[in-house]
Amino acid sequence: MARYQLGVLVLVVALAGCSVNSQHDGVDTASLPSVDRAKYSGVHAKLDPATASISLPMDAYEATPDESMVITAANMFVIEECMKKAGVPMPEKHGDLTVKADQSYGVWVPELAANYGYDKPIIRTVPGIYDSKTRESADANVKKYFECDNSTVASQIPPFRSRIAGQDSLLTNISNDSNALSERDPEWSEARNDWIACLKEAGISMRQDSPDAWVPSYPSDKQGEIRTAVQDANCKQETNVMQRIMDIRAQYQSALIATNQAAMNRLAEEKTEALANARTILRQHGKGGA
């Protein structure tokens, strides 16, 4: 069911999704699948410092920021049709999608660290597609909006992403299992320890309140924070820790995808179909270039 904040739609996407730091403590080891990662040693993650983005095999089954905007806009037009039939104007709906740097494992691009410290900067903005052309949200309009949202669920494009609250999907399981397996891998610990040793040589210590975190202790003043962040990012480059741990994640993801290949193929087809349907809806409303 679509749910959008009324008013300006300012969507924020952190590349690569939710943080996966130190989530393995709550995972039952006995429940994890047995995976031979060595068979997938040729699989590598793609790290792009220019966009502070990380690409993994699971990304093929999830919506990119641009695809998310297409689906959001299509669903807004579906709801708008219901509102028009009721003779009620849409409440205020418009906005861009803001894409932030992937810092799931802390800062790793020295140039960004030098400018923002540990803040997560905006890398790019996906221009909005839908605009209700209204800038007011009367109570009656808002009420009808939610009624139309509920009544048009069957016509809306369903979301597809690895984490949907309360939903135990195949994508969720693969994401969670691959993360847990990665963090338990000896090579993961080796890579992380190399990074920590580099920080220690530079006089930087890990946080005592969260020793498993990917952000070390840093001064409270902004300049001190930036100096630590730059050294942190440099250590990540010197030890190649990001490529090493992301390759581990990519390889576990590939193994689990292969184990569930038939089901994953169906999900890929569903994604293709969903985007085709969304773009058809946009063309019907004069948005053929989306």
Side-chain angles (χ1 to χ4, degrees):
M1 182 182 301
R3 281 289 179 264
Y4 309 96
Q5 182 180 2
L6 293 175
V8 181
L9 283 172
V10 181
L11 307 179
V12 180
V13 171
L15 293 173
C18 301
S19 173
V20 294
N21 299 346
S22 303
Q23 294 181 350
H24 60 277
D25 290 341
V27 178
D28 180 8
T29 305
S31 68
L32 291 174
S34 177
V35 176
D36 182 6
R37 180 168 66 86
K39 294 180 179 179
Y40 300 89
S41 60
V43 177
H44 299 283
K46 181 182 178 182
L47 280 66
D48 184 357
T51 58
S53 63
I54 302 171
S55 299
L56 294 166
M58 283 288 289
D59 295 342
Y61 304 92
E62 304 187 49
T64 66
D66 300 85
E67 291 167 346
S68 293
M69 178 60 79
V70 167
I71 291 173
T72 297
N75 287 339
M76 295 306 295
F77 280 118
V78 170
I79 297 171
E80 181 186 80
E81 287 298 316
C82 171
M83 298 285 288
K84 286 181 177 179
K85 289 178 181 178
V88 180
M90 279 283 284
E92 182 178 3
K93 293 284 189 177
H94 59 94
D96 301 331
L97 190 154
T98 302
V99 181
K100 291 192 172 185
D102 184 343
Q103 293 182 182
S104 299
Y105 296 94
V107 297
W108 57 281
V109 181
E111 294 79 7
L112 294 179
N115 288 321
Y116 302 99
Y118 285 102
D119 291 337
K120 189 178 292 185
I122 295 173
I123 300 301
R124 68 185 181 97
T125 299
V126 179
I129 298 173
Y130 177 84
D131 189 338
S132 63
K133 307 297 184 182
T134 56
R135 296 298 180 261
E136 295 182 0
S137 298
D139 290 345
N141 298 15
V142 172
K143 180 181 178 181
K144 188 61 183 178
Y145 169 85
F146 285 117
E147 290 176 359
C148 282
D149 185 7
N150 288 325
S151 66
T152 59
V153 168
S155 300
Q156 292 184 39
I157 310 300
F160 48 97
R161 59 180 73 97
S162 64
R163 294 172 178 83
I164 302 175
Q167 185 170 337
D168 186 25
S169 68
L170 176 60
L171 292 180
T172 303
N173 292 338
I174 290 178
S175 292
N176 292 343
D177 287 350
S178 62
N179 291 341
L181 288 165
S182 296
E183 293 177 12
R184 285 174 168 80
D185 193 291
E187 291 186 25
W188 178 284
S189 298
E190 180 181 342
R192 177 179 165 83
N193 288 337
D194 287 347
W195 164 67
I196 293 174
C198 178
L199 291 175
K200 187 176 181 180
E201 289 179 6
I204 300 172
S205 59
M206 297 305 295
R207 293 169 49 187
Q208 296 302 309
D209 61 328
S210 183
D212 291 335
W214 285 86
V215 176
S217 297
Y218 58 85
S220 58
D221 65 288
K222 193 63 180 179
Q223 288 306 310
E225 174 191 329
I226 288 176
R227 283 195 301 271
T228 302
V230 169
Q231 183 60 58
D232 182 358
N234 286 336
C235 277
K236 286 196 172 83
Q237 287 202 337
E238 290 174 20
T239 60
N240 200 30
V241 64
M242 290 299 294
Q243 188 68 61
R244 292 160 69 186
I245 65 171
M246 299 314 291
D247 281 352
I248 293 171
R249 283 190 64 197
Q251 289 158 17
Y252 277 116
Q253 283 189 8
S254 294
L256 293 173
I257 288 170
T259 300
N260 299 275
Q261 194 64 69
M264 296 301 287
N265 289 344
R266 288 193 294 273
L267 289 175
E269 292 171 0
E270 289 175 6
K271 173 181 175 177
T272 299
E273 182 180 353
L275 285 170
N277 291 341
R279 291 189 172 104
T280 295
I281 292 172
L282 294 184
R283 285 195 298 271
Q284 291 170 348
H285 291 84
K287 302 292 183 179

